[in-house]
């Protein structure tokens, strides 16, 4: 029987897994499952599955966002965070039976809970204002929140800081992220950090005497894009800076003995195009060692997609013997599970041309539960034992997979004009027939320092289902192909990266005779939106274009984006005051009079990363020039609309993209 084609609404039928966590005895694991409910809202709940069972057991229920399950070392409790009370708070679930009880009632919520190694304490993060008392926190009622919202809407926003807004959080206030300790037996709270700084909890030493946190405690921190690892002595309250103050360092974790600390980061050698490195710190000798010296892979998961919800562990994680570290790395369009010994020798533990989006390690058996997505399967968990044998644990979205036609992308590789190898994938249209000509869409990723890869991507599958050949590639500037490659677009936006994309189209048209070269379309978001705007101002070979959350004017981007004040300097080598003409020369808006391609502009009203004025400028200019252009503004959405925006708005967005290409291609 022929399977049906994928539709715009189908992403709402998917179950998305994240954050696997082994139980202390290694016999089972918990995880988070997120889906869109009947009210077309996201809900996430906790599940647990025995390694000897084919079916998981649901732990939490209801239309809430529940996440971050963490087993106590004794196996007696699971702590998790949930907004079931109206604000994200911490809840404690006894594993010998009984209901979960709420343990925090903080006014601004609580999250990211972790246990001390002896299981006596839970350490978590809370947004606190100056003078807040953690021993007397009261969560606001629904009515109090509404009243506060109404009062705030009548007040002017008094801005004093350079960083006063964030795409993720909106307009920022004076609250700071602090670290709080909860005594499970005494049911008391102790604030561990203080002052006008943000503190990011990292780990607690095995002896319970020291915590690690990441942050910037310099007085000029709002002007510095740096982060260090610090140690806080819980007895003396003395803070010691561990890293050198010259870069960005994070994800620090103690070895099982507490003698060493592993952490990630870099010294900004290539600014935000620098590959992340793995470092070791010897607690006794104070010596730092870079384990990844000489590597040319990116530590961490850099794959772009639209069906990943929730966070997951990517490492580094210590082995039981303290002789190895495990982590996820991005390489050649895939993410793999790696291990590295303390001499820096690296080897792959799991590599099947897929997207490893998270893992959990069981020191009892030296085994892993690995979360994996592939281009044809949205997500599943697998057990990877010490001998590298693999056992599938889940069969998520089976009904969906059996019902719809999911295309398998064909990997392509070609030479750019200067000899660089460029990698990508091509999807054939639904119901493909030999001898027939099909319209074509080029997809361009954002970042630019991310990568397309071996993961399930609903938007790509949808366009193929609508009858398009879909090409998505990793032009220079993307991760996964080494330090020189990821740095190659800096100072050259619209140069080599543009030529790579045009070479990709040339290769596809010349190689696949079923592509109708008279019906080519292009789309992309963020950096991909910039590049879409750039392309239509440089060439008329595309008959339709859709630009999303884009950049059209680097001059104004400097002052309106939440990252503009440093992004221009880091990516182009100059900012507004250094060389306004140079910024204007690489601004797509400058070339608006040359645009002949019908252009659809999609933008979110609350996008603070690429603010909507970028779309407005482009629309007004093109419309004033009587070009073929339309503008769609999405209310209440930010830069993340395509990935985690309101489901109904995501459907609208996809429908607009498909309708535009249907109209012109």
């Amino acid at each position: 029987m022929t399977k049906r084609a994928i539709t715009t609404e189908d992403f709402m039928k998917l179950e998305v897994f994240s954050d696997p966590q082994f139980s202390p005895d290694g016999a089972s694991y918990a995880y988070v499952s997120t889906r869109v409910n009947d009210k077309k809202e996201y809900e996430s709940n906790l599940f647990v599955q025995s390694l000897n069972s084919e079916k998981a057991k649901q732990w939490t229920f209801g239309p809430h966002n529940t996440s971050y399950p963490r087993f106590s070392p004794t196996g007696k409790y699971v702590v998790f965070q949930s907004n079931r009370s109206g604000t994200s708070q911490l809840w404690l679930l006894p594993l010998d039976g009984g209901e979960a009880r709420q343990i925090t009632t903080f006014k601004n919520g609580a999250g990211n809970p972790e246990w001390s190694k002896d299981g006596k304490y839970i350490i978590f993060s809370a947004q606190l204002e100056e003078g807040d008392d953690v021993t007397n926190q009261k969560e606001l009622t629904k009515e109090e929140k509404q009243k506060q919202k109404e009062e705030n809407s009548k007040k002017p926003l008094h801005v004093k800081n350079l960083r006063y807004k964030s795409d993720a959080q909106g307009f920022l206030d004076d609250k700071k992220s602090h670290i709080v300790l909860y005594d499970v037996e005494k049911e008391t709270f102790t604030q561990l950090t203080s002052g006008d700084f943000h503190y990011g909890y990292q780990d607690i030493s095995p002896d319970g005497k020291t915590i690690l946190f990441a942050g910037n405690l310099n007085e000029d921190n709002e002007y510095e894009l740096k982060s260090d690892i610090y140690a806080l002595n819980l007895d003396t309250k003395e803070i010691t800076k561990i890293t050198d103050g010259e870069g960005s360092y994070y994800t620090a974790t103690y070895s099982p003995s507490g003698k060493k600390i592993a952490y990630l980061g870099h010294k900004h050698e290539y600014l935000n195009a620098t590959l992340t490195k793995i470092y070791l710190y010897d607690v006794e000798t104070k010596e730092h060692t870079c384990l990844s010296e000489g590597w040319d892979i990116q530590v961490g998961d850099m794959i772009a997609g639209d069906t990943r919800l929730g966070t997951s562990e990517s490492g580094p994680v210590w082995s039981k013997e303290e002789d190895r570290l495990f982590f996820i790395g991005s390489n050649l369009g895939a993410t793999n599970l790696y291990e590295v010994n303390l001499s820096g020798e690296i080897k792959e533990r799991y590599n099947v041309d897929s997207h490893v989006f998270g893992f959990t390690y069981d020191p009892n058996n030296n085994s892993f539960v690995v979360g994996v997505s592939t281009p044809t399967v949205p997500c599943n968990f697998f057990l990877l034992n010490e001998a590298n044998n693999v056992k599938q644990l889940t069969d998520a979205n089976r009904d969906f997979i059996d019902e719809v036609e999911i295309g398998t992308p064909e990997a392509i590789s070609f030479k750019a004009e200067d000899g660089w190898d460029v990698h990508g994938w091509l999807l054939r249209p639904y119901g493909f027939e030999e001898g027939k000509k099909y319209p074509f869409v080029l997809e361009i990723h954002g970042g630019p320092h991310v990568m397309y890869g071996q993961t399930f991507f609903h938007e790509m599958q949808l366009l193929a289902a609508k009858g398009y050949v879909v090409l998505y590639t990793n032009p220079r500037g993307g991760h996964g192909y080494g330090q020189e490659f990821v740095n190659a677009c800096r100072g050259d936006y619209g140069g080599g990266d543009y030529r790579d994309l045009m070479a990709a189209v040339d290769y596809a048209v010349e190689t696949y005779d079923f592509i109708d070269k008279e019906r080519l379309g292009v789309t992309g978001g963020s950096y991909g939106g910039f590049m879409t705007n750039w392309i239509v101002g440089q060439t008329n070979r595309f008959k339709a274009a859709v630009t999303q959350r884009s950049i059209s004017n680097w001059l104004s981007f400097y002052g309106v984006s939440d990252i503009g004040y440093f992004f221009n300097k880091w990516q182009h080598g100059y900012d507004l005051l250094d060389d306004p003409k140079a910024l204007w020369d690489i601004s797509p808006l400058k070339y608006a009079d040359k645009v002949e391609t019908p252009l659809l502009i999609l933008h979110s009203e609350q996008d603070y990363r690429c603010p909507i004025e970028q779309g407005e400028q482009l629309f007004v200019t093109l419309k004033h020039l009587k070009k073929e252009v339309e503008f769609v503004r999405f209310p209440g959405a930010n830069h993340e609309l395509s990935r985690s925006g309101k489901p109904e708005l995501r459907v609208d967005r996809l429908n607009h993209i498909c309708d535009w290409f249907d109209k012109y291609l």
Side-chain angles (χ1 to χ4, degrees), residues 167-459:
D167 186 68
Q169 299 170 269
F171 289 121
L172 304 177
D173 52 28
D174 292 331
K175 292 191 291 290
K176 301 296 181 183
S177 180
H178 285 283
I179 303 169
V180 182
L181 181 144
Y182 174 71
D183 188 309
V184 176
E185 184 178 335
K186 297 178 181 177
E187 299 184 10
T188 57
F189 296 97
T190 304
Q191 184 174 336
L192 300 180
T193 56
S194 60
D196 193 28
F197 303 102
H198 289 288
Y199 300 83
Y201 174 74
Q202 304 291 295
D203 200 8
I204 187 168
S205 60
D207 62 10
K209 294 181 178 180
T210 307
I211 67 164
L212 301 175
F213 67 85
N216 186 333
L217 304 189
N218 298 331
E219 291 301 324
D220 249 4
N221 61 73
E222 74 167 316
Y223 297 95
E224 296 179 336
L225 296 163
K226 298 177 181 179
S227 174
D228 279 290
I229 304 298
Y230 298 84
L232 169 62
N233 185 300
L234 294 181
D235 291 330
T236 66
K237 301 298 185 274
E238 180 184 2
I239 292 176
T240 304
K241 183 192 288 188
I242 290 177
T243 48
D244 59 16
E246 298 299 321
S248 293
Y249 305 105
Y250 43 88
T251 318
T253 176
Y254 276 104
S255 66
S257 69
K259 294 181 179 179
K260 296 183 184 296
I261 295 169
Y263 63 96
L264 303 181
H266 56 73
K267 298 180 186 293
H268 292 156
E269 294 96 329
Y270 301 90
L271 301 175
N272 59 335
T274 310
L275 294 186
T276 299
K277 301 175 178 64
I278 301 180
Y279 296 92
L280 275 188
Y281 174 72
D282 189 299
V283 175
E284 294 179 358
T285 66
K286 309 293 189 285
E287 181 183 1
H288 295 264
T289 305
C290 180
L291 288 183
S292 52
E293 197 69 47
W295 298 0
D296 208 17
I297 67 168
Q298 168 68 0
V299 177
D301 175 7
M302 303 307 297
I303 286 187
D306 62 357
T307 50
R308 292 293 335 134
L309 296 165
T311 59
S312 294
E313 174 66 67
S314 60
V317 171
W318 285 94
S319 68
K320 174 181 61 177
E321 300 85 0
E322 204 168 306
D323 60 348
R324 291 164 293 160
L325 289 160
F326 309 109
F327 65 95
I328 291 173
S330 298
N331 193 37
L332 303 178
T335 57
N336 310 316
L337 179 64
Y338 293 90
E339 72 173 48
V340 57
N341 65 24
L342 302 195
S343 298
E345 296 170 329
I346 184 176
K347 74 175 184 178
E348 294 173 341
R349 289 299 304 268
Y350 187 92
N351 176 6
V352 290
D353 273 341
S354 62
H355 176 196
V356 176
F357 59 78
F359 71 96
T360 181
Y361 169 67
D362 171 30
N364 304 292
N365 302 297
N366 274 321
S367 61
F368 306 85
V369 169
V370 183
V372 178
S373 175
T374 73
T376 56
V377 179
C379 60
N380 269 312
F381 289 122
F382 295 83
L383 179 66
L384 176 70
N385 69 13
E386 190 170 14
N388 263 29
N389 298 314
V390 178
K391 172 187 174 184
Q392 186 170 338
L393 297 173
T394 60
D395 194 14
N397 303 298
R398 173 47 54 193
D399 291 343
F400 174 80
I401 293 169
D402 290 341
E403 178 187 354
V404 302
E405 184 68 32
I406 302 174
T408 300
E410 303 172 34
I412 65 168
S413 182
F414 57 91
K415 292 285 186 182
E417 67 174 24
D418 54 2
W420 285 53
D421 290 314
V422 181
H423 187 206
W425 296 265
L426 182 137
L427 270 172
R428 299 187 183 216
Y430 174 76
F432 175 79
E433 298 176 21
E434 291 287 353
K436 187 176 178 180
K437 292 282 189 178
Y438 292 93
F440 165 100
V441 174
L442 171 68
E443 286 266 7
I444 309 172
H445 65 62
H449 308 309
V450 298
M451 69 180 186
Y452 281 141
Q454 302 279 14
T455 194
F456 184 83
F457 212 125
H458 173 249
E459 181 177 324

